[in-house]
Amino acid sequence: KQLDLIAVSHPHMDHLSFSSLDKLSKKFLGTPFIFPEGAEQFLPNFDLDMIRADLTDIYKGKYIATSFYVNGLKITPVYALHNGGRYGLDTYLWLVQGYCGYIVEYKDVCIYFAGDTGYDEKAFKEIGKKFKITLAFIPIGPCRNCEKKGFWFHTTSLEAVELFKDLNAKYMIPIHYGSLQYMSDSRGPMQTLKEIINNPGKYFPEEDSTGLKDDFIDRIKILKEGEQIIFDELL
């Protein structure tokens, strides 16, 4: 099999792995590799088709950047509430840019990949209005209080569900959990997400909790490690 593209959302070490890219470049020589503007300073050369995503509009305060095409796929960089850099000082002191999410469109299918992001209601509702999203890959955590809002730069489990609702996406697959113990048990974000799905009335008292529970169970797909899922409407 051949990859259509490889996309990296930002250069933090848990998202931009040189060893993984080296393996991919050897196995899938010349594959298009998309990275956000500002991340190039951290990238060595790989045997990949290096494509820098133009984030000018996002840096100017907009939520949606200029689209471009790769192998018949329409790629649109979109806003993320996060930070760039790689080694600490460049992230928190020098405030290096280079981070985004992506919308990937092919015919009637629209995929949203959030990368790492905090929660911004205005931004995600705007993205949801612009695109008819079929499937959203949304991070849950790391988070200290995963059942609450207001955790900067990463969505808590509750904020991830709010983001999903703001996007009005058809399906959500949660990502970015279970590997690292960061501020809480690595299992915490997923445990909290399952609690929200099974007891939505506690977190969304203004809505019909019975209907919302059925809706979440049907639309939020939690995968086991290595598990595959087929969406008939994506074929």
Side-chain angles (χ1 to χ4, degrees):
K1 295 182 179 180
Q2 177 63 38
L3 297 179
D4 292 305
L5 65 86
I6 301 167
V8 165
S9 57
H10 60 294
H12 291 174
M13 292 186 183
D14 58 329
H15 290 260
L16 177 61
S17 167
F18 295 155
S19 61
S20 295
L21 283 174
D22 185 55
K23 292 176 182 177
L24 288 171
S25 68
K26 291 174 180 176
K27 187 173 182 179
F28 304 106
L29 183 68
T31 298
F33 170 55
I34 302 169
F35 59 90
E37 177 184 354
E40 61 271 13
Q41 60 189 298
F42 304 104
L43 280 168
N45 289 323
F46 294 102
D47 289 327
L48 299 167
D49 180 11
M50 311 283 277
I51 302 172
R52 183 177 66 179
D54 182 356
L55 305 187
T56 301
D57 287 341
I58 293 176
Y59 293 155
K60 288 182 177 179
K62 299 180 181 180
Y63 300 129
I64 300 168
T66 302
S67 303
F68 55 95
Y69 287 85
V70 175
N71 284 346
L73 303 172
K74 184 179 180 182
I75 313 297
T76 307
V78 293
Y79 171 88
L81 177 57
H82 202 53
N83 43 37
R86 185 169 177 85
Y87 301 107
L89 286 177
D90 47 18
T91 298
Y92 300 107
L93 183 60
W94 302 332
L95 303 179
V96 172
Q97 294 180 315
Y99 48 94
C100 67
Y102 296 105
I103 293 284
V104 181
E105 296 174 272
Y106 180 71
K107 296 184 178 180
D108 295 329
V109 175
C110 180
I111 307 295
Y112 167 70
F113 169 58
D116 266 2
T117 185
Y119 181 61
D120 184 317
E121 180 179 5
K122 183 178 179 181
F124 297 122
K125 284 186 175 179
E126 184 67 25
I127 293 170
K129 290 177 183 177
K130 177 68 175 179
F131 301 96
K132 187 178 179 180
I133 299 171
T134 316
L135 174 62
F137 292 92
I138 301 176
I140 54 170
C143 41
R144 182 179 290 108
N145 299 308
C146 297
E147 73 285 356
K148 297 181 179 179
K149 297 182 182 180
F151 192 70
W152 201 250
F153 294 139
H154 293 95
T155 46
T156 65
S157 304
L158 178 60
E159 288 173 325
V161 175
E162 290 278 18
L163 198 166
F164 174 50
K165 294 174 68 191
D166 290 345
L167 292 174
N168 197 29
K170 190 165 187 178
Y171 297 105
M172 166 185 167
I173 292 180
I175 59 174
H176 204 253
Y177 64 90
S179 296
L180 300 175
Q181 183 169 333
Y182 180 75
M183 296 194 177
S184 66
D185 190 319
S186 61
R187 298 167 294 180
M190 179 52 68
Q191 290 172 341
T192 302
L193 178 64
K194 289 179 178 178
E195 169 65 18
I196 294 170
I197 291 172
N198 289 299
N199 188 19
K202 176 181 176 181
Y203 303 94
F204 304 98
E206 71 283 1
E207 300 187 45
D208 175 11
S209 61
T210 302
L212 198 60
K213 178 178 179 179
D214 293 340
D215 195 48
F216 284 167
I217 290 174
D218 183 54
R219 296 169 60 208
I220 300 177
K221 304 297 185 179
I222 300 172
L223 303 185
K224 298 176 182 178
E225 188 172 349
E227 182 181 1
Q228 294 183 340
I229 184 171
I230 295 175
F231 297 93
D232 289 337
E233 54 265 64
L234 300 188
L235 298 177

